[in-house]
C-alpha cells in the first residue's frame, strides 16, 4: 500500500458558492453602466441626476442621522447626490433621494414614530430579519415612491438580519420585507435588470418602470 499523503488544511479555501477569482463591480463601475443605459434608453432621466455629494454634505447627513453610512452608499452618492426631485424613477422606479431629501424624510419619520401615531408591532419577511416596529430611527430612507412608501438602509436589523440590508417600508401595511442583504447587492441587481431589458420609460407614468407594470 502506498504512503498516505496528508492534505495541508492550513491553505485558505474558498467559501461554498464563492467564485475564487470573481471581482465585485465597484460602485463607480455600476454607475457607469447605469449612465450608459440611460444615455441610450432614457436620456431625459440622465439629465435629472445631481452632481456628486461633497464630503461636507455626506458628513452633515451622518451627523443628522447619528449614524455612519455604509461605504458603498457613500460612494454611490459621491457620484450623484440623488436626482432633482422630478420623480424620474431612476432607482427601482422610485425617486433617488439626495442627502437633503434623505435627512428631511428621516426627520419626518422619526417625528411621526415619536408621536406614537402607529405604535404597533410589524411582521418581518424573512422572519427575524427586521425589528418588529412601525419605524426605527436607524432605518435610513434612500428612495421614495412619492406616496409614503420607502426603501431604506437598515442599520439595526433583527437577530437574523444583516447590518446594511435594504428593506421595503410600506406605510399602509404591517409587513416589512428584506429586498437585499446589502446596498451593493441591491444596486447590482437593479443595473443587471435594466441592462437585461426589463425596464423602460413609461409615458403614462412619466418614469422608468418595469415593462410588466406598464
Amino acid at each position: 500500500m502506498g504512503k498516505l499523503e496528508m492534505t495541508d488544511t492550513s491553505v485558505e479555501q474558498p467559501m461554498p458558492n464563492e467564485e475564487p477569482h470573481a471581482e465585485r463591480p465597484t460602485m463607480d463601475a455600476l454607475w457607469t453602466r447605469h449612465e450608459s443605459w440611460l444615455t441610450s434608453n432614457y436620456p431625459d432621466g440622465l439629465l435629472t441626476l445631481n452632481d456628486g455629494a461633497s464630503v461636507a454634505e455626506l458628513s452633515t447627513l451622518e451627523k443628522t442621522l447619528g449614524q455612519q453610512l455604509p461605504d458603498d452608499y457613500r460612494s454611490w452618492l459621491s457620484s450623484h447626490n440623488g436626482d432633482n426631485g422630478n420623480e424620474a424613477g431612476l432607482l427601482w422606479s422610485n425617486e433617488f433621494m439626495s442627502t437633503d431629501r434623505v435627512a428631511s424624510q428621516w426627520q419626518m419619520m422619526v417625528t411621526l414614530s415619536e408621536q406614537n401615531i402607529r405604535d404597533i408591532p410589524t411582521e418581518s419577511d424573512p422572519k427575524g430579519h427586521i425589528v418588529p416596529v412601525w419605524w426605527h430611527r436607524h432605518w435610513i430612507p434612500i428612495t421614495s415612491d412619492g406616496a409614503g412608501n420607502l426603501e431604506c438602509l437598515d442599520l439595526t436589523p433583527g437577530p437574523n438580519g444583516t447590518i446594511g440590508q435594504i428593506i421595503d417600508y410600506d406605510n399602509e401595511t404591517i409587513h416589512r420585507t428584506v429586498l437585499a442583504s446589502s446596498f451593493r447587492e441591491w444596486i447590482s441587481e437593479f443595473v443587471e435588470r435594466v441592462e437585461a431589458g426589463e425596464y423602460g420609460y413609461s409615458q403614462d407614468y412619466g418614469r422608468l418602470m418595469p415593462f410588466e407594470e406598464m
Side-chain angles (χ1 to χ4, degrees):
M1 183 180 293
K3 183 179 178 181
L4 293 175
E5 295 184 0
M6 301 299 292
T7 301
D8 182 3
T9 58
S10 66
V11 177
E12 183 177 351
Q13 301 295 323
M15 296 295 290
N17 302 320
E18 180 180 346
E19 298 180 21
H21 303 293
E23 294 185 1
R24 299 187 305 169
T26 65
M27 304 312 293
D28 285 344
L30 289 169
W31 255 129
T32 297
R33 289 164 58 186
H34 192 31
E35 289 174 342
S36 177
W37 185 90
L38 288 169
T39 299
S40 300
N41 298 276
Y42 183 23
D44 287 345
L46 183 65
L47 296 175
T48 70
L49 288 168
N50 296 325
D51 293 336
S54 66
V55 172
E57 287 173 322
L58 292 169
S59 297
T60 297
L61 177 58
E62 289 182 326
K63 184 177 180 180
T64 298
L65 301 173
Q67 291 284 306
Q68 183 175 344
L69 299 170
D71 289 342
D72 286 342
Y73 181 52
R74 286 181 60 98
S75 177
W76 188 256
L77 290 172
S78 295
S79 292
H80 291 290
N81 188 10
D83 60 42
N84 59 22
N86 72 345
E87 300 183 1
L90 296 185
L91 287 185
W92 294 100
S93 301
N94 294 328
E95 175 196 353
F96 166 31
M97 294 198 291
S98 67
T99 51
D100 286 344
R101 285 278 293 122
V102 170
S104 62
Q105 182 70 57
W106 177 85
Q107 289 171 327
M108 182 183 74
M109 296 304 298
V110 168
T111 298
L112 289 174
S113 65
E114 290 175 347
Q115 292 173 348
N116 294 319
I117 290 178
R118 293 185 182 178
D119 187 16
I120 57 176
T122 55
E123 298 176 353
S124 168
D125 181 19
K127 187 176 181 180
H129 281 64
I130 306 170
V131 292
V133 296
W134 179 74
W135 179 263
H136 197 291
R137 65 186 303 111
H138 293 164
W139 294 350
I140 314 304
I142 55 179
T143 75
S144 169
D145 71 349
N149 301 312
L150 309 165
E151 291 164 327
C152 307
L153 279 166
D154 181 2
L155 303 184
T156 304
N160 300 330
T162 304
I163 296 175
Q165 65 190 7
I166 305 299
I167 64 174
D168 178 61
Y169 168 82
D170 188 329
N171 72 340
E172 296 182 344
T173 76
I174 62 171
H175 304 293
R176 305 287 180 262
T177 304
V178 176
L179 303 176
S181 63
S182 69
F183 182 77
R184 182 189 294 264
E185 177 185 300
W186 184 68
I187 289 296
S188 295
E189 181 183 352
F190 173 67
V191 171
E192 288 169 3
R193 289 192 176 189
V194 166
E195 292 176 330
E198 296 182 22
Y199 279 72
Y201 178 74
S202 169
Q203 293 284 351
D204 292 337
Y205 292 94
R207 60 174 54 204
L208 186 64
M209 294 184 65
F211 283 110
E212 63 183 15
E213 296 180 11
M214 293 184 187

